[in-house]
Amino acid sequence: MRVMLPLQVPRRWFCRVIPLTVFTLLLLYLSARSLRAWPLPSPALGGTQESRTSGPKPPPGALTAPPRLSPGALSGCPSGAQSCIPEGLPPFQSGPLEAPEREEPQCLGPQGMLGRMMRPFRASLNPEGDVELSQYLAGWRELVKFLTPLRSIFAFATSEAFIKVTALEARVHGPDAAHYTSLAAMVTWERRAGLLEPPGIAPRDLAKSSGSRTMLLLHRALRWSQLCLHRVATGTLGGPDAGVQCSDAYDTALAPYHPWVIRQAARLAFLAFPGRGRLLELACPGTKEAEARAALARAAGTLEDVYNRTQGLLAERGLLQLA
């Protein structure tokens, strides 16, 4: 008797069916797992009518928890809204809060030593590019008050500056006050009236000196004060002390115009010059060294602005060699 063998299935067919079957089973498994983990939509979350009615119902008499409302339902935001801020609640800030602005030291304020000095000097720079003399002299008076307690070389410098300020104020408030409102007006008037001295000739009486010459002498002293304060404020730790820095400023701004005897006396006086700490304490009391340095640097910057404006005006009128 002859036995019939089953039809042989091609080997190539098995190679294609087995991977396809495995892939199909894997998809079914993942789909069933995701369906079990996915929560049924609740009424508060905006489910469909079918999902709200076809879900399992609790048995009679069973206690049920109150429905949980979403933040959108409490605030009146529509379901599914992407950018809805509940009323009465501040928006969430993901970034850091801005730090409050740092208050400037009291020494720069209306009652501070540096503030009282800087305001009139700054006010002397009018928008027309001129220098208002009354404000300029008011700034100089405050600068003298600041430098006087330092003694040493400043005692001589401030006394000389005070004499010049008083002499120029006598013209600003004198009978010809209308011609002494600003630097440009003063120079124009004195030149036209023949009041300017020949270059290099100093009058015996300072009261008879022209206002332009007195202004030039104050201008040079302002440069020394500005350089001294700036170098004290910006000097590096462990570097030259205030006496050395202000002595170098003197050699730059004033020494070329002083005779030999005065130059030697000034160099000796700088040996008793107060230290940096004393100057910073006087300029900005009750503050840390870094804050005092910053405040003193700002004051020196104001003096530099005034100096540059005055330097340009005097140079344009050929008066830098008047004294």
Side-chain angles (χ1 to χ4, degrees):
M1 183 175 180
R2 192 173 181 179
V3 179
M4 300 294 297
L5 295 176
L7 296 177
Q8 294 184 354
V9 181
R11 185 184 183 91
R12 185 173 53 187
W13 187 84
F14 278 104
C15 294
R16 293 181 179 178
V17 170
I18 293 177
L20 183 59
T21 304
V22 173
F23 180 72
T24 303
L25 293 176
L26 182 60
L27 284 179
L28 292 174
Y29 170 77
L30 293 177
S31 299
R33 184 176 181 181
S34 62
L35 287 175
R36 288 196 304 268
W38 194 267
L40 293 176
S42 64
L45 296 178
T48 62
Q49 183 68 24
E50 293 180 359
S51 63
R52 291 195 295 265
T53 58
S54 62
K57 298 181 179 180
L63 297 176
T64 58
R68 299 180 59 185
L69 298 179
S70 65
L74 289 172
S75 62
C77 294
S79 175
Q82 296 296 325
S83 59
C84 178
I85 299 176
E87 296 180 359
L89 296 177
F92 176 73
Q93 297 180 356
S94 58
L97 295 176
E98 294 183 0
E101 295 183 0
R102 295 182 59 185
E103 297 181 357
E104 65 179 13
Q106 292 184 356
C107 59
L108 293 175
Q111 302 303 322
M113 176 69 72
L114 298 182
R116 294 197 308 268
M117 179 187 70
M118 292 168 61
R119 280 195 308 277
F121 270 126
R122 195 181 294 119
S124 70
L125 304 176
N126 64 23
E128 289 75 23
D130 206 349
V131 175
E132 301 291 338
L133 291 182
S134 61
Q135 294 290 345
Y136 179 85
L137 296 174
W140 250 112
R141 280 194 173 274
E142 294 298 331
L143 179 58
V144 169
K145 292 179 184 178
F146 169 53
L147 299 179
T148 297
L150 294 175
R151 309 296 180 190
S152 183
I153 185 62
F154 279 128
F156 168 76
T158 53
S159 62
E160 288 293 312
F162 182 80
I163 294 173
K164 295 179 177 66
V165 168
T166 303
L168 192 52
E169 282 179 335
R171 295 180 178 273
V172 172
H173 302 291
D176 297 322
H179 304 292
Y180 288 89
T181 56
S182 69
L183 174 57
M186 175 182 66
V187 174
T188 301
W189 157 253
E190 291 187 338
R191 176 165 282 156
R192 186 169 61 244
L195 299 176
L196 294 180
E197 301 88 351
I201 298 179
R204 295 181 179 180
D205 187 1
L206 182 61
K208 298 180 180 179
S209 177
S210 66
S212 299
R213 186 178 186 276
T214 305
M215 183 73 178
L216 176 61
L217 297 177
L218 284 174
H219 172 65
R220 291 171 180 167
L222 186 70
R223 180 58 168 171
W224 172 48
S225 302
Q226 180 267 320
L227 287 176
C228 175
L229 298 183
H230 175 75
R231 293 177 182 181
V232 170
T234 60
T236 58
L237 296 177
D241 201 4
V244 176
Q245 292 176 321
C246 290
S247 178
D248 292 342
Y250 170 81
D251 291 339
T252 300
L254 289 177
Y257 308 102
H258 288 171
W260 182 85
V261 175
I262 295 181
R263 292 199 303 269
Q264 300 308 313
R267 292 189 175 96
L268 290 176
F270 275 116
L271 297 177
F273 195 82
R276 187 192 314 276
R278 169 62 178 151
L279 204 155
L280 292 175
E281 179 184 358
L282 181 66
C284 206
T287 61
K288 297 180 180 179
E289 180 178 351
E291 294 179 350
R293 280 174 173 258
L296 192 61
R298 286 181 57 181
T302 298
L303 298 185
E304 185 176 16
D305 292 339
V306 176
Y307 173 84
N308 291 336
R309 173 78 65 87
T310 307
Q311 177 79 1
L313 291 171
L314 294 174
E316 291 174 1
R317 290 154 179 78
L319 297 180
L320 292 178
Q321 303 302 322
L322 187 61

